[in-house]
Amino acid sequence: VQLQASGGGMVQVGGSLRLSCAASGRIFSINVMGWYRQAPGKQRELVATITSGGSTNYADSVKGRFTISRDNAKNTVYLQMNSLKPEDTAVYYCNANAKPPFEVRRDYWGQGTLVTVSS
C-alpha cells in the first residue's frame, strides 16, 4: 500500500489549503484514514481522523477550522484547512489503517507534505 500526499505549500495567515492523499496498491480494505503533523523540534501529533463510515475526530487546536473527508471509492482522504495560523506550519503526513489481501492490517504513512503559514 502506498500513500501519495499533495497540496502543501506556503500561505498567508488566514488563508486556506486543501491536502489530498490517495492510497494505491493491493488494498483489501481501509479502516481509519487520517492526517498527522510534525512541526520543527516537536513530536508528530494527530490532526484529524475519519473512519470508513465517516465518523471524524479532530485535535482541539484545529476544530472549527479544518475539515477531514474521504472518498472511499477512490481510497482518498482530504484535509480542508481554513483560517490558517503560523502554528499550523508543519509537515503533514497522511495515514491509513489498511489491509492488503492475505496480509495483516497495519498502519501506512505517506511521505509528508510541507505547509508553511507566513505572517
Side-chain angles (χ1 to χ4, degrees):
V1 178
Q2 297 81 41
L3 299 180
Q4 181 67 47
S6 61
M10 181 176 291
V11 65
Q12 292 188 330
V13 171
S16 298
L17 281 175
R18 189 190 195 213
L19 306 183
S20 300
C21 178
S24 61
R26 299 170 61 247
I27 301 171
F28 178 75
S29 65
I30 300 178
N31 186 7
V32 179
M33 301 186 80
W35 291 94
Y36 293 72
R37 67 186 181 187
Q38 187 167 19
K42 294 187 177 181
Q43 290 188 330
R44 190 174 298 188
E45 63 177 5
L46 180 145
V47 176
T49 61
I50 184 168
T51 69
S52 57
S55 296
T56 58
N57 179 53
Y58 295 93
D60 288 343
S61 59
V62 306
K63 282 181 181 177
R65 301 188 297 122
F66 291 11
T67 302
I68 190 170
S69 61
R70 68 189 276 179
D71 185 332
N72 290 330
K74 296 181 179 179
N75 290 330
T76 300
V77 62
Y78 307 96
L79 186 68
Q80 178 66 43
M81 304 184 293
N82 298 329
S83 303
L84 283 161
K85 305 175 181 180
E87 51 263 44
D88 294 318
T89 295
V91 177
Y92 284 70
Y93 297 90
C94 61
N95 169 277
N97 184 259
K99 184 186 182 312
F102 311 111
E103 297 182 29
V104 298
R105 181 178 297 279
R106 70 174 181 90
D107 283 336
Y108 293 85
W109 293 90
Q111 82 284 8
T113 185
L114 178 62
V115 172
T116 303
V117 184
S118 62
S119 56

